[in-house]
Amino acid sequence: MPGIPGFVVLSPAQPAQGAPLWSSSFLPAAYQGTLVADLKNPIADLSNPTLSHRQQRGQLDVLKQLNQIHEEAREEDTRLSARIASFELAFRMQAEAPEAFDLAGESPATLKLYGVGDTTTDIFARQCLLARRLVERGVRMVQVYHTQTSHRASCQLWDQHGNLHIELPNNCAATDQPIAALLKDLKGRGLLDDTLVIWGGEFGRTPTAENGDGREHHPFGFTMWLAGGGIKGGLVHGATDEYGWYAVQDKVHVHDLHATILHLMGMNHEKLTYRYSGRDYRLTDVSGRIVHEILA
């Protein structure tokens, strides 16, 4: 069994929305993400100073028996099942996680490629490099959040409603080099062919200024990019009107995007369902088409 969670979230400062952004939604709780917020000490309490490995194993076996007795006396609760499984995962992580999150073994050339150590790029560079290391070790899903110190004086997602002239160039400078390095590194290691990289956000921003130095939420026409994992390189699909306000050509709905992502992961979005609250749910609801035009 793997010694690292299958869904890892790298976010040095939690966005305002927090855990709902990587929750399991209507799926069982075991599918929620595992947050790593401290890049220097990513997983707390990985060593047990009082018990040996063998003693911990015995302790976990007894705990598992007690938890199963507790579980059998109650209706199925995925949160309880996930919590029980998390103890076993934490035990396995003692052996594998320290090495996976340790950048000391990376070459000076790789650290420089990502921008580790540069005050402008260091935080996001470490996130991107950790993402590559996790993918390399079999983690199925890595979510990387870029955060910023916004005009609201708190750490947010890249959500700029003001101070755009200063914050936008700063954010571009902080993310440009690390994300380019991640793509180059994945390709150089032969990982890009089966690793899908998705860059985007909750929606777009208005093409016009808000109060002269900001932009508002805008869901009618915005851009996301995908790379690797079966995506055709060097292609621009779709277009907005001349003002950048509405998508007018080769429109892609969010359900279409999800259908395409699932297809690239080898799953049929029309058949992938999960029964919840008396009905069969699927990620694309009752619509969604695969955007074959962007597939390699």
Side-chain angles (χ1 to χ4, degrees):
M1 299 180 71
I4 306 176
F7 178 7
V8 177
V9 180
L10 302 173
S11 181
Q14 292 191 44
Q17 299 91 335
L21 293 177
W22 49 84
S23 76
S24 59
S25 188
F26 56 79
L27 294 177
Y31 292 98
Q32 68 186 12
T34 298
L35 174 66
V36 173
D38 186 346
L39 300 182
K40 294 183 179 179
N41 183 32
I43 307 293
D45 303 316
L46 269 182
S47 61
N48 190 320
T50 58
L51 297 178
S52 67
H53 193 271
R54 182 177 179 180
Q55 289 172 322
Q56 289 181 68
R57 180 67 269 168
Q59 185 185 58
L60 278 174
D61 289 341
V62 173
L63 180 61
K64 183 177 181 180
Q65 292 174 8
L66 294 173
N67 280 330
Q68 286 175 340
I69 294 171
H70 179 78
E71 188 178 25
E72 289 169 1
R74 288 159 176 79
E75 293 184 7
E76 170 61 19
D77 185 339
T78 64
R79 294 171 298 176
L80 178 58
S81 301
R83 177 60 61 89
I84 293 172
S86 72
F87 288 113
E88 291 291 333
L89 175 59
F91 180 67
R92 297 194 302 273
M93 286 175 67
Q94 293 183 44
E96 296 187 34
E99 185 275 335
F101 286 96
D102 186 5
L103 302 185
E106 296 291 340
S107 69
T110 298
L111 297 176
K112 183 178 180 181
L113 177 69
Y114 280 84
V116 174
D118 186 302
T119 54
T120 301
T121 56
D122 184 71
I123 294 177
F124 196 66
R126 290 177 182 275
Q127 291 171 258
C128 287
L129 183 49
L130 282 173
R132 189 222 79 205
R133 291 179 64 84
L134 292 172
V135 166
E136 206 169 24
R137 286 155 179 78
V139 175
R140 299 295 301 276
M141 171 72 177
V142 183
Q143 203 170 34
V144 180
Y145 282 94
H146 171 61
T147 53
Q148 60 157 11
T149 303
S150 77
H151 64 284
R152 297 189 182 112
S154 63
C155 216
Q156 304 282 342
L157 284 171
W158 192 340
D159 190 3
Q160 295 162 328
H161 294 281
N163 204 22
L164 195 65
H165 291 155
I166 295 175
E167 291 185 357
L168 184 58
N170 288 346
N171 279 312
C172 290
T175 59
D176 240 13
Q177 180 180 342
I179 193 64
L182 174 61
L183 296 175
K184 183 176 181 179
D185 202 10
L186 288 171
K187 185 174 182 179
R189 293 168 184 268
L191 294 169
L192 192 59
D193 288 343
D194 55 9
T195 302
L196 178 62
V197 182
I198 304 169
W199 179 281
E202 51 192 351
F203 34 55
R205 290 293 180 270
T206 51
T208 54
E210 173 190 329
N211 297 324
D213 194 17
R215 295 187 297 171
E216 188 52 272
H217 295 168
H218 187 71
F220 305 114
F222 61 97
T223 301
M224 298 182 69
W225 62 254
L226 288 75
I231 292 295
K232 189 182 298 182
L235 172 72
V236 176
H237 180 77
T240 61
D241 58 31
E242 59 183 312
Y243 299 106
W245 193 263
Y246 287 108
V248 294
Q249 177 183 325
D250 297 326
K251 298 179 182 179
V252 176
H253 190 276
V254 66
H255 291 327
D256 303 335
L257 176 65
H258 287 161
T260 305
I261 292 171
L262 289 171
H263 173 74
L264 290 168
M265 295 171 69
M267 290 178 276
N268 185 331
H269 75 102
E270 294 180 340
K271 294 182 179 180
L272 183 66
T273 62
Y274 185 79
R275 181 158 285 272
Y276 176 76
S277 294
R279 62 161 283 195
D280 289 336
Y281 279 80
R282 74 184 214 207
L283 183 62
T284 52
D285 197 29
V286 294
S287 59
R289 72 172 188 91
I290 299 169
V291 187
H292 290 280
E293 297 87 340
I294 69 172
L295 303 183

